[in-house]
Amino acid sequence: MQRAYLISTGHELLSGATVDSNASFLTARLLDMGLQVTGRSTVGDDRDALERAFAAGMATADIIISTGGLGPTFDDLTKMVACDIMDCQLELRPEEEQRLRRYFDARHRPMPEINLRQAMFPPEAAVLYNAIGTAPGIYLRKNDKILILLPGPPREMTRMFLNEVERRLQADCGLDNRPIGKRTIKIMGLGESQVEERLGNLLDVPADMAVALLAVDGEIHIKLTLTNSSKRTGHDQLGALSGSMAELLGHHVFGYDNDTLVTRTAELLLERQSTLAVAESCTGGMLGKMITDRPGSSRYFWGGVISYSDQAKQLLLDVDAAILANHGAVSAET
C-alpha cells in the first residue's frame, strides 16, 4: 500500500482562525483510493518550517500533497520550497501567463506583475487547472516520488483534486491499490485521543490495511480500508476488526458507513413508535431543521420551541425565574 504525507500551510491554521478542512477531505479521499496517509504537518508561512515538513514527507512517503501557499505574495513560499527539495527549476510558461492575464482582463482589473510567479513551474511538472481561482496546482513525478501542490481555499482545492488529481493518482498508483473493502465506524461523545486510547493495539493493523481517525463536525469517524486480499477474506477481516472496535467503544458508536445521527435517530424513533419534540435556545431552531430536512419526519417529529429569551423560557417551557437568576440561561439547571 503506497503512502501519502499531507502538508497544510498558512499562519491562519496555526492561529486557530481557520479550520483545516482540506486535510480531512484529502485523508478521506486518499483512503477511499487505497492510499495510506502516514503523516501530516501543519506549518505557517515560514521557509524553515516548510523545508522540515517537505523533508519529513520525502523521507516517509511516496506521495507528498500540500495545500496553500501558491499565491503571488512574499509569504507564498510553498512552490519555491517544494521545488528546492525536489531539485527542480522554475520556468515561466507563456500559456500560463496568458491565462492569468485573461483572468484579470475578464474582471476589468490590472494584473500586478508579481502574479507572474503563479505562471512559473518546473519543466517536468504537469499544471493543474484552477477553475475558480488564479493559483494553478502542480503534479510532479520525480525520483520515485509524486509531489502535488494544491491551493489553500477549500473550494479551489476540492475541485482541483477531484477534477485534476484523482485520475492521475489512480493511473500512477495502479488499480491494485484500489480498496477491496471499506468500513467507517461513526462515534459520538468521545474525542479523538479518547478513541485512540480505548482502541489501543487494535490500531496496529496489518500491512494490507489502513486505519484513520477523522474528526468530522463533532463526531469521530474510524475509516478502515483493505487492499491486496480476496474480497471474501477482506470483508471477513473488516467485519472482525470493526466488531472488536465497536465492542470497546460501546454506546458511543451510533452508526456505520452512510449512517448519520439524524437517520439513526429517525430509524430508532420509528422502530419504537415514538415521537420527538425539541426545546432550543442558542441553536435557534437548527436541531428542528436537521430533523425535518429528512423526508417523512412528520411520522415522528411533533414540533419544537425556540425559547431564545429568558421570558420565552419562563412562559413556554416553565423554567423557574429563580433558576435563571441564580444559574443563568446557559446552564445545566436551566
Side-chain angles (χ1 to χ4, degrees):
M1 182 177 287
Q2 290 182 286
R3 299 159 299 172
Y5 191 91
L6 305 182
I7 302 171
S8 304
T9 69
H11 286 313
E12 69 279 1
L13 297 175
L14 295 177
S15 69
T18 301
V19 176
D20 188 4
S21 60
N22 287 341
S24 296
F25 169 85
L26 289 171
T27 299
R29 296 299 297 191
L30 293 169
L31 286 171
D32 284 345
M33 295 172 66
L35 299 169
Q36 183 180 9
V37 178
T38 59
R40 188 172 98 190
S41 293
T42 303
V43 297
D45 302 305
D46 176 81
R47 177 177 282 274
D48 290 341
L50 277 167
E51 288 176 351
R52 289 193 296 271
F54 276 103
M58 294 286 287
T60 59
D62 311 291
I63 303 157
I64 301 93
I65 304 178
S66 78
T67 56
L70 299 183
T73 58
F74 71 94
D75 58 350
D76 291 308
L77 303 170
T78 301
K79 188 190 298 185
M80 289 181 287
V81 171
C83 289
D84 285 346
I85 293 287
M86 294 288 280
D87 192 25
C88 294
Q89 301 298 315
L90 286 170
E91 298 179 358
L92 183 68
R93 294 202 183 181
E95 66 275 17
E96 288 302 314
E97 178 183 354
Q98 292 170 13
R99 185 194 63 80
L100 270 175
R101 294 194 185 279
R102 287 196 300 270
Y103 180 92
F104 280 90
D105 288 344
R107 287 155 181 79
H108 306 291
R109 292 160 50 196
M111 188 188 84
E113 290 305 302
I114 194 174
N115 277 75
L116 286 176
R117 292 173 59 179
Q118 294 178 301
M120 299 186 73
F121 301 90
E124 55 272 74
V127 177
L128 303 176
Y129 175 63
N130 190 335
I132 51 177
T134 63
I138 288 178
Y139 189 99
L140 174 64
R141 295 182 63 190
K142 188 174 181 180
N143 301 328
D144 296 323
K145 301 288 183 182
I146 297 176
L147 174 71
I148 302 168
L149 307 184
L150 301 172
R155 286 179 64 244
E156 296 180 30
M157 187 283 303
T158 300
R159 185 175 295 194
M160 187 179 291
F161 184 86
L162 295 176
N163 293 346
E164 300 281 326
V165 174
E166 207 163 57
R167 59 185 170 82
R168 287 183 167 92
L169 276 179
Q170 286 172 344
D172 287 342
C173 295
L175 294 176
D176 289 342
N177 281 321
R178 291 184 180 178
I180 57 92
K182 295 184 292 184
R183 196 82 200 267
T184 301
I185 307 170
K186 298 189 174 180
I187 300 147
M188 174 59 72
L190 293 175
E192 195 170 349
S193 58
Q194 292 172 302
V195 171
E196 187 172 343
E197 185 177 33
R198 290 196 182 200
L199 294 181
N201 292 334
L202 286 182
L203 294 173
D204 298 327
V205 296
D208 60 353
M209 187 179 289
V211 59
L213 303 185
L214 305 176
V216 183
D217 294 333
E219 304 169 10
I220 301 297
H221 294 180
I222 306 172
K223 292 186 74 74
L224 304 172
T225 311
L226 183 74
T227 60
N228 302 327
S229 180
S230 74
K231 185 166 286 189
R232 181 174 179 179
T233 304
H235 286 301
D236 289 345
Q237 284 181 273
L238 282 177
L241 181 58
S242 63
S244 298
M245 288 182 168
E247 189 174 345
L248 288 175
L249 296 168
H251 69 273
H252 293 287
V253 175
F254 70 83
Y256 299 88
D257 299 328
N258 295 322
D259 290 336
T260 67
L261 277 173
V262 173
T263 59
R264 286 296 296 133
T265 300
E267 288 166 3
L268 290 169
L269 288 167
L270 290 169
E271 285 173 17
R272 300 176 184 186
Q273 297 184 318
S274 298
T275 55
L276 175 69
V278 299
E280 302 188 60
S281 178
C282 294
T283 50
M286 182 179 69
L287 183 57
K289 182 181 186 303
M290 288 171 62
I291 297 165
T292 56
D293 275 348
R294 188 173 187 269
S297 56
S298 59
R299 289 180 292 167
Y300 48 83
F301 185 61
W302 182 88
V305 170
I306 305 172
S307 56
Y308 201 73
S309 69
D310 287 0
Q311 185 181 20
K313 291 176 176 64
Q314 294 175 65
L315 292 175
L316 300 175
L317 298 174
D318 264 350
V319 178
D320 193 291
I323 290 177
L324 289 164
N326 294 329
H327 299 284
V330 184
S331 63
E333 292 79 7
T334 295

